[in-house]
Amino acid sequence: MRKVPNNRAWWLVLPVFILVAFSALIPLMTVVNYSVQDIFGPNAAYFVGTDWFREVLRNESLQASLGRQVVFSAAVLLIEIPLGIGIALLMPTGGKRASLCLILLAIPLLIPWNVVGTIWQIFGRGDIGLFGRFLNEIGINYNYTADPVDAWFTVLLMDVWHWTPLVALLCYSGLRAIPQAFYQAAEIDRASRWAVFRYIQLPRLKSVLVIAVLLRFMDSFMIYTEPFVLTGGGPGSSTTFLSQTLTTMAVGQFDIGRAAAFSLVYFLIVLLVSWLFFTAITYPDRDK
Amino acid sequence: MAEIQLKSLAHSYSRHPEGPGDYAIRQMSHTWHKGGAYALLGPSGCGKTTMLNIISGLLAPSEGDVMFDNVRVNELSPKDRNIAQVFQFPVVYDSMTVFDNLAFPLKNAGIPKARIEAKVEEIAAILELEPVLRKKAKGLTADEKQKVSMGRGLVRDDVSAILFDEPLTVIDPQLKWKLRRKLKQIHEQFNITMVYVTHDQLEASTFADKIAVMYDGQIVQFGTPRELFERPNHTFVGFFIGSPGMNLIDVSVTEQGVRFDDIDVPLDDGQKQRIAATGSSNIKLGIRPEFVQLTAAPADDTWPCRILDVEDLGTYKIVTLQLGEQRLKARIDEDQMISGDTLHVGFPRQWLKVYVDEFLVDEQTEEAQS
């Protein structure tokens, strides 16, 4: 066949380009567009440059919100990743009991997020909630609507309950993919249980852990529905995370310019931290 | 180092074995002596790996005992048996360097650092792993990985035994030969009991002093390569060892000896008595192609036969001939000429073996049994 030297092949890329344009580029550029203008009406938009960005970065309530968000995501990762690995290690390796464990683990993942919030909102109540009532009965003064520490505890517990199963399931699948020969070799090499975990299981879980850490980081960093339903961000603003602050700004106050600038900063933070995690976990693989 | 004794050992992978067919290892006893280099030879699926895993403790036998130096070790883990095993496919710890891989079994045993280093360097030198010693094991070639895998077994010089489960399967032929020599060298140097599983007779005979031939879940013969060749104890050994394998002919008993297809083969009285004593009708004659005599002129105890094919393999020839309805192979010297299509074939008495129910019957067997 004769080759025709022209650029017509670019047409083949067009569908993908259109798809990406509508799904990502155009919405993102809209946000960029808003972030550099002050818009009062259809014909009253003024270019303001980086003003919104400067203001957003100096905004104290946003900084406080970011601080809470970082602490929350860090806590979520520190609890859920080790806990998920631990659960996966303890799970039976096969048979009916394994299926039962998988089903039980999957249940929290199937519940809609606002339902999760509602469940815990009721569960934690001191008057009718099983959990809140129980704590109060045994003498612990627990009230998540009034005490910031209790509120934080409840939000964290809810997230751990909701999302640790995801980490556990990912790790479980990773563990099942390790060939039996590795365990046999380790047994022959007189490896301790810890050495088996440290040198066989953990290195081979690395790829699923990358996924688990990234998913849990991004999800927890963007958490909105569950704390919104559970505490509404309170008491005060003690459990108000970034998404909620942003929503209040964009939808509640209709402060489009500032919200757009904030969205972009938010997006860049997620991107940057995800990249950092990815690099940090996969870095030791490289030959020195 | 230890003497490894298997006493009335049997193993089945099914929980409720019913017939002999359910057994991967049929009841057998065997002793691997201290400091020997042994090969366990047999076709795929005959139970070699099962036996190895039972010796190392990865698998608990369903019946019988495993004894190390007369101590029952059935319940002991591989760790407590202090045994090394190298698997068929390389197992390396990806996240560690080659050095750490080799040091791993020693570190686990709590051996002092200086000694670990010395030992790892020593084995790395023997296996020629020095250039990659500081590299991550992940990026190694299959050959190198298997060498690392072997090295982890070899660094431990205090072990009861080292078991090799077809360790050279994934290695290319030239290196294979070299590594086999190295293993032999290591054996001579450290005098550790080694059991080497393989399905390659050449590999078995170059490595081992004595070979155990395994067939259908049992060790059918244990002997030097020469014994296996000259006095196969079982028709399977005759068939499996040698290239081509032993000629085996179904025969029936007559007054003078045995016969097949109108051909009478006389046997001496002792042999006749021993066959009669068994009362079995499953009788086979066996003779190795190397011992079949071909002559142009007829002589005493020769039969005319038809030449079907001559394969010239460079250093010797394989002749396929027809005697009665049977096809036999004969191996003759490169310079022996074959002319015409009829020759005379003879079976020297000392190399003609009689098998009843697949097992050899001759004087020595009786002596051994009595």
Side-chain angles (χ1 to χ4, degrees):
Chain A
M1 222 169 75
R2 203 169 58 88
K3 266 190 190 168
V4 187
N6 61 25
N7 283 327
R8 288 222 304 257
W10 285 107
W11 290 106
L12 296 174
V13 188
L14 194 65
V16 176
F17 183 78
I18 292 172
L19 212 67
V20 173
F22 276 98
S23 73
L25 291 178
I26 294 173
L28 189 68
M29 287 323 290
T30 319
V31 178
V32 172
N33 187 34
Y34 286 139
S35 73
V36 292
Q37 297 186 76
D38 200 353
I39 299 170
F40 296 105
N43 295 311
Y46 302 95
F47 183 74
V48 295
T50 56
D51 282 3
W52 288 131
F53 288 94
R54 261 179 266 167
E55 206 195 304
V56 159
L57 292 176
R58 276 194 218 110
N59 186 319
E60 274 174 24
S61 88
L62 278 180
Q63 285 171 357
S65 187
L66 177 66
R68 283 191 292 273
Q69 186 67 73
V70 169
V71 172
F72 178 74
S73 284
V76 160
L77 288 178
L78 285 175
I79 297 169
E80 288 178 14
I81 298 295
L83 191 62
I85 296 173
I87 291 173
L89 285 173
L90 290 176
M91 275 170 67
T93 52
K96 274 198 184 118
R97 292 194 306 145
S99 313
L100 188 71
C101 284
L102 290 174
I103 292 168
L104 287 177
L105 273 179
I107 287 174
L109 299 174
L110 300 176
I111 301 174
W113 296 1
N114 52 356
V115 177
V116 170
T118 314
I119 288 173
W120 282 82
Q121 207 256 349
I122 298 169
F123 192 48
R125 276 173 67 160
D127 51 354
I128 56 166
L130 192 64
F131 180 64
R133 183 72 189 264
F134 170 76
L135 286 183
N136 286 326
E137 289 288 323
I138 62 169
I140 297 168
N141 189 9
Y142 166 85
N143 183 353
Y144 70 85
T145 53
D147 185 331
V149 177
D150 291 353
W152 261 83
F153 173 74
T154 316
V155 173
L156 262 180
L157 191 64
M158 174 179 66
D159 199 82
V160 167
W161 174 82
H162 194 184
W163 289 113
T164 305
L166 177 77
V167 181
L169 289 179
L170 281 170
C171 290
Y172 184 73
S173 73
L175 285 174
R176 293 289 77 75
I178 301 174
Q180 201 55 35
F182 281 87
Y183 295 112
Q184 290 189 334
E187 217 181 324
I188 294 290
D189 290 338
R190 298 180 284 191
S192 61
R193 184 70 195 80
W194 166 251
V196 169
F197 174 69
R198 172 66 189 79
Y199 297 111
I200 295 173
Q201 292 173 322
L202 200 56
R204 298 207 147 233
L205 280 182
K206 189 172 273 176
S207 50
V208 292
L209 279 179
V210 171
I211 298 171
V213 167
L214 289 183
L215 278 180
R216 281 320 300 134
F217 164 71
M218 289 190 284
D219 263 359
S220 66
F221 207 77
M222 299 185 291
I223 193 166
Y224 175 75
T225 318
E226 296 138 290
F228 181 74
V229 175
L230 179 66
T231 62
S237 58
S238 62
T239 57
T240 306
F241 299 117
L242 279 181
S243 289
Q244 203 184 327
T245 316
L246 176 63
T247 312
T248 314
M249 197 184 283
V251 184
Q253 302 158 0
F254 217 71
D255 207 348
I256 298 292
R258 196 182 287 139
F262 179 31
S263 298
L264 287 174
V265 174
Y266 197 173
F267 170 63
L268 289 176
I269 293 174
V270 173
L271 209 60
L272 177 72
V273 177
S274 296
W275 178 81
L276 283 176
F277 274 129
F278 183 80
T279 313
I281 298 174
T282 54
Y283 182 74
D285 279 353
R286 289 172 213 168
D287 250 319
K288 274 146 226 159
Chain B
M1 257 183 291
E3 177 183 273
I4 299 168
Q5 216 179 345
L6 309 173
K7 276 192 180 166
S8 336
L9 189 82
H11 187 74
S12 170
Y13 285 104
S14 87
R15 215 170 287 172
H16 306 288
E18 277 159 15
D22 286 347
Y23 280 88
I25 290 184
R26 302 219 212 147
Q27 199 177 70
M28 50 159 262
S29 296
H30 188 76
T31 306
W32 306 101
H33 292 287
K34 201 176 268 196
Y38 300 109
L40 187 56
L41 180 66
S44 304
C46 73
K48 301 182 304 252
T49 301
T50 306
M51 184 191 271
L52 223 55
N53 288 349
I54 287 175
I55 296 175
S56 67
L58 290 173
L59 201 63
S62 14
E63 292 162 34
D65 296 325
V66 182
M67 320 277 284
F68 280 22
D69 285 333
N70 293 319
V71 179
R72 195 180 121 102
V73 295
N74 278 33
E75 279 78 33
L76 294 186
S77 67
K79 187 178 171 182
D80 297 321
R81 294 185 196 194
N82 192 16
I83 199 157
Q85 186 173 2
V86 179
F87 300 92
Q88 182 172 4
F89 296 102
V91 177
V92 294
Y93 306 119
D94 293 340
S95 59
M96 295 190 215
T97 61
V98 171
F99 181 94
D100 289 332
N101 258 279
L102 295 177
F104 190 58
L106 301 176
K107 270 184 197 156
N108 290 332
I111 287 166
K113 214 172 170 193
R115 195 164 144 56
I116 292 180
E117 258 169 50
K119 197 67 209 174
V120 169
E121 302 281 346
E122 182 186 353
I123 292 300
I126 293 176
L127 293 174
E128 291 169 19
L129 280 170
E130 286 150 317
V132 294
L133 213 47
R134 303 288 153 193
K135 264 174 77 174
K136 282 266 161 89
K138 198 175 189 173
L140 300 180
T141 63
D143 285 353
E144 288 167 334
K145 280 186 183 175
Q146 188 61 319
K147 285 206 263 181
V148 170
S149 217
M150 264 161 81
R152 281 206 318 273
L154 297 172
V155 286
R156 297 163 60 183
D157 49 14
D158 63 327
V159 285
S160 313
I162 306 180
L163 312 176
F164 299 92
D165 189 357
E166 310 201 26
L168 302 180
T169 311
V170 294
I171 308 252
D172 70 51
Q174 224 177 342
L175 188 64
K176 217 176 203 174
W177 188 84
K178 209 163 143 191
L179 282 177
R180 220 155 44 209
R181 285 296 320 152
K182 299 239 179 232
L183 282 182
K184 186 100 184 152
Q185 202 183 315
I186 291 167
H187 178 256
E188 278 154 13
Q189 202 174 336
F190 299 109
N191 223 11
I192 305 170
T193 316
M194 291 187 178
V195 180
Y196 188 104
V197 163
T198 176
H199 59 252
D200 178 344
Q201 49 172 308
L202 189 73
E203 208 167 287
S205 48
T206 47
F207 172 77
D209 310 327
K210 273 182 120 179
I211 300 173
V213 181
M214 205 165 172
Y215 172 64
D216 202 15
Q218 270 186 317
I219 290 179
V220 286
Q221 188 167 9
F222 183 51
T224 61
R226 186 175 170 156
E227 282 166 0
L228 298 182
F229 183 74
E230 291 183 352
R231 278 190 71 251
N233 214 356
H234 187 277
T235 51
F236 176 76
V237 179
F239 159 80
F240 197 68
I241 308 278
S243 169
M246 194 179 223
N247 295 302
L248 292 163
I249 311 165
D250 281 305
V251 292
S252 54
V253 185
T254 62
E255 275 178 28
Q256 296 81 35
V258 291
R259 72 181 281 145
F260 64 94
D261 306 332
D262 299 330
I263 291 163
D264 280 296
V265 182
L267 296 175
D268 58 43
D269 291 340
Q271 262 175 326
K272 278 188 281 187
Q273 276 166 16
R274 281 188 291 271
I275 295 171
T278 62
S280 170
S281 60
N282 175 10
I283 298 161
K284 286 194 175 98
L285 276 186
I287 186 157
R288 289 220 174 263
E290 287 81 355
F291 302 135
V292 172
Q293 274 185 347
L294 283 178
T295 51
D300 284 347
D301 291 337
T302 66
W303 299 272
C305 64
R306 236 155 50 81
I307 305 299
L308 297 176
D309 185 33
V310 179
E311 283 171 79
D312 192 336
L313 297 178
T315 50
Y316 58 89
K317 291 175 186 165
I318 303 287
V319 182
T320 309
L321 46 92
Q322 185 161 7
L323 179 62
E325 296 297 310
Q326 309 292 325
R327 286 192 178 195
L328 303 180
K329 301 259 186 199
R331 179 167 158 169
I332 59 171
D333 288 342
E334 180 68 12
D335 50 7
Q336 190 177 346
M337 298 304 287
I338 302 275
S339 54
D341 56 2
T342 307
L343 281 177
H344 295 271
V345 61
F347 305 132
R349 197 61 72 81
Q350 70 181 115
W351 301 122
L352 189 63
K353 305 291 174 193
V354 180
Y355 294 91
V356 175
D357 292 333
E358 313 302 329
F359 279 96
L360 181 69
V361 276
D362 70 3
E363 288 157 42
Q364 280 167 295
T365 321
E366 293 227 324
E367 279 162 22
Q369 279 168 355
S370 59

